[in-house]
Amino acid sequence: MTFPPTFEYDAVIVGGTPAGIMTGITIAKAGRRAVILERSAYMGGLPANGLGATDIHTRGATGGLFLEFVGRVKQHYSDTYGADSQQLTDCSDGYRFEPHVAEKILHQMIAEQGDLLEVRTMRQFDHEPSNAIKDGAVLRGIRISNRESGEQEIYRASVFVDATYEGDLAAAAGAPYMLGREGADEYNEPCAGKFYQRWDDPVDGYYSTGQADNAIQSYNYRLPLTTDKSNMTRIDKPPSYNRDEYLSLIDDVRLNRFAGPPKPMEFDGIGAITNMARVPNDKVDGNNQHAAFISTDLPEENWPYPTASWDWRDRFALRLRDYILGLFYFAQNDPDLPADFRERCNRWGLAADEFTDNDNFPRQIYVREGRRIRGEYLFTAHDALSKRGSPAHMTSITASHYALDSHACLKREEGRPHTDGIFTYPTTPYCVPYGVIVPLEVENLLIPVPASGTHIGFSTLRMEPCWMALGEAAGVAINVCLDGGSSPRDANVVEMQRRLLAAGAVLTYYQDAAPGDAHYEALQFFALRGFLGDSYEAKLDEPVADDDRENWTIWANTPDLANFSGARGQLLDKIFSEVGKRTDEEQVALYASISS
């Protein structure tokens, strides 16, 4: 009998997403060996597959390796095209980029870790429980299929990371997970359950019931499109083209009929079927057009995807590709559409210098929502809307900021003026607790991508900047645990936060303070513990008020500083220094008393 080859590492990461890459980099920086196992032949997830318009509402709300990635993007365009170039302007300080640039930079960041971070592509994890090798609740190893050789491989490690968009590893290991939409009465979240919102308009109370169901938001591909004829590939009719799927677009265009407020100029041509965000070199990141009834999303058909086999997923990926190409072909060629509309659509094509080995089409679908693994903490809409100072905030591993945001869950319904499931609901910069990436019922596993959240809560966590920050935090957690001999569930969060802050992370956002500023680490620590209230202004250089001095020194048990006279930031630094001299047990007891 032949046994599969076995490989051992300090950490095994399943999923070559940006979050998985950041986890691996963080582990390698600490001198430990990690491997990233990626099913496809390519690394980089969605940023390397068309998502070039970074989803973040407040720049500076997320730092660390994500901000390093953004800075490298900006430097690339400056070095390649010049400080006065249009490309540098269009990269928007590094927050907008071409897919091949994102892929190149992520590969550079991996390569800089040398032999400590290994990447193995074409490694498939199938989510059957037999592929998770456990000792009781402890995950000890995983069984992987090498897609090139067809052989099985065993990977063992001290800690594992599920960085997949689907949550396959966590599910196979026995972690509980959530699918579908919670009802409005379950957590009292805005937009929960069955929900209709005319795009950019108030909620439609007549159609919205708030009822729970098994629906998940739709997927698409993010398309790099261009009007540059020297760098354009024409869109041909796909093999499975079905004209009947797109007929409703004819009257939508003729009648200017959309699921949002009519904006004729916005929908003048290809904008009727895709939303466009400008990226460098005369390209756009083409996403679903929320205000249209028919666009690049394909609702309902993706519902089985999170728990389906890879064979089913591959068939769906091909179906989605042909559907989108068919939509563009229809818009550019169907004789029943107005001629001037077709003419404007025909100005656009796929960028010829992207995905050159895949007919210029992205290689990975946009899985906006797979399994949501149930963790030690369940992130809900209220966490994205809450103020600082709650016990949950004390364990923050990153700040983030994006709206509660979902794409359609159902296809167009006859007679209804909107599409079910689409919503956008404003938030303010928020904190993400550590428990969100610690799954229930499984030990030695972290889940920075299929994180613990309701359908509504996950709708903001699912943005790549937040995922990248959660990946970095997972790497820090692993290093802390391996240094101290603890499990991820029992990780020293205070030490994690110290290391994250030293690496430039943002744990709670301030508009007048950033990583590298004087007093920043002290500010972050004590803001998370309620010292500074709800304001997004730290005012570190202003004189400390009498009430603040009294409260801070009492809460931190630093009576020697009760008569301190100076700036707010200086006092926070002194308190931070004093508290840092205490034992871990004393610090844990102090922070517990503060939270109560």
Side-chain angles (χ1 to χ4, degrees), residues 49-263:
N49 279 278
L51 200 166
T54 304
D55 293 315
I56 189 167
H57 278 173
T58 297
R59 296 184 180 184
T62 304
L65 287 174
F66 161 71
L67 207 56
E68 179 182 333
F69 168 79
V70 168
R72 288 178 182 234
V73 170
K74 181 179 180 180
Q75 193 63 50
H76 165 84
Y77 285 108
S78 178
D79 291 345
T80 306
Y81 300 102
D84 298 322
S85 65
Q86 186 63 47
Q87 288 89 343
L88 182 59
T89 299
D90 289 342
C91 86
S92 190
D93 287 329
Y95 286 84
R96 295 198 173 189
F97 43 82
E98 300 160 275
H100 73 271
V101 171
E103 186 174 27
K104 173 185 174 182
I105 289 171
L106 290 170
H107 274 281
Q108 288 174 345
M109 294 175 73
I110 292 170
E112 289 167 5
Q113 310 314 312
D115 294 339
L116 290 173
L117 179 56
E118 187 176 349
V119 169
R120 295 192 176 188
T121 57
M122 300 297 286
R123 295 319 200 269
Q124 177 171 305
F125 181 83
D126 294 292
H127 52 80
E128 286 83 6
S130 60
N131 290 326
I133 302 166
K134 296 174 65 181
D135 179 7
V138 180
L139 185 61
R140 299 295 191 190
I142 59 175
R143 186 174 287 103
I144 292 285
S145 297
N146 184 325
R147 296 178 67 200
E148 293 177 314
S149 69
E151 297 178 349
Q152 297 286 298
E153 299 171 345
I154 302 295
Y155 290 83
R156 297 185 179 275
S158 299
V159 186
F160 294 82
V161 176
D162 189 336
T164 67
Y165 293 122
E166 296 83 8
D168 283 347
L169 173 56
Y177 59 85
M178 299 158 285
L179 294 169
R181 298 186 285 189
E182 293 82 6
D185 58 348
E186 194 164 352
Y187 296 101
N188 194 30
E189 296 174 292
C191 312
K194 195 167 182 62
F195 184 85
Y196 294 84
Q197 179 186 42
R198 187 168 169 81
W199 187 240
D200 284 343
D201 265 14
V203 175
D204 192 319
Y206 180 78
Y207 293 119
S208 297
T209 67
Q211 183 176 357
D213 59 23
N214 66 336
I216 63 172
Q217 61 175 310
S218 48
Y219 304 164
N220 72 344
Y221 286 91
R222 298 289 285 259
L223 302 183
L225 302 169
T226 185
T227 57
D228 179 2
K229 292 183 179 180
S230 68
N231 187 36
M232 180 194 299
T233 297
R234 302 294 304 170
I235 296 174
D236 296 325
K237 181 167 63 175
S240 62
Y241 180 71
N242 178 7
R243 178 176 181 266
D244 292 345
E245 289 199 283
Y246 315 111
L247 292 177
S248 61
L249 181 63
I250 297 171
D251 281 345
D252 289 346
V253 171
R254 291 186 179 278
L255 301 175
N256 194 32
R257 182 176 61 192
F258 295 99
K263 299 177 182 177

Side-chain angles (χ1 to χ4, degrees), residues 105 210 256 281 297 330 422 467 499 557 565:
I105 289 171
N256 194 32
N281 285 314
D297 282 352
F330 180 88
I422 292 179
W467 272 336
R499 295 191 191 188
N557 191 23
S565 177

Side-chain angles (χ1 to χ4, degrees), residues 349-538:
L350 299 173
D353 62 345
E354 300 289 353
F355 317 119
T356 55
D357 58 353
N358 198 46
D359 296 326
N360 309 120
F361 198 87
R363 302 168 299 228
Q364 188 166 1
I365 65 174
Y366 190 179
V367 178
R368 295 188 178 97
E369 181 179 11
R371 297 180 184 87
R372 308 186 308 275
I373 308 301
R374 189 65 167 88
E376 289 287 326
Y377 189 89
L378 180 66
F379 193 94
T380 72
H382 304 295
D383 292 293
L385 303 169
S386 66
K387 302 297 183 181
R388 290 190 182 91
S390 74
H393 290 162
M394 286 183 60
T395 66
S396 176
I397 51 177
T398 187
S400 190
H401 186 207
Y402 201 77
L404 305 174
D405 178 273
S406 177
H407 286 241
C409 292
L410 293 179
K411 294 183 179 181
R412 179 187 204 135
E413 298 173 87
E414 186 67 31
R416 295 199 173 181
H418 347 292
T419 308
D420 168 69
I422 292 179
F423 61 76
T424 182
Y425 191 95
T427 64
T428 53
Y430 55 79
C431 302
V432 184
Y434 175 55
V436 162
I437 68 169
V438 183
L440 297 177
E441 300 184 21
V442 181
E443 302 299 328
N444 286 11
L445 176 66
L446 291 170
I447 49 169
V449 178
S452 178
T454 60
H455 170 70
I456 305 298
F458 190 81
S459 74
T460 181
L461 290 180
R462 67 181 183 85
M463 306 305 163
E464 292 289 351
C466 185
W467 272 336
M468 292 166 81
L470 293 179
E472 181 177 4
V476 168
I478 289 169
N479 288 330
V480 168
C481 291
L482 295 182
D483 284 346
S486 64
S487 71
R489 196 175 311 282
D490 300 320
N492 183 335
V493 177
V494 171
E495 178 60 22
M496 285 172 52
Q497 290 174 331
R498 288 184 184 276
R499 295 191 191 188
L500 283 166
L501 290 170
V506 177
L507 305 184
T508 184
Y509 172 73
Y510 281 93
Q511 63 190 32
D512 59 347
D517 290 353
H519 322 304
Y520 187 74
E521 293 185 29
L523 164 69
Q524 292 279 293
F525 247 80
F526 293 114
L528 291 174
R529 288 151 180 88
F531 280 37
L532 280 80
D534 297 335
S535 172
Y536 287 105
E537 293 185 342

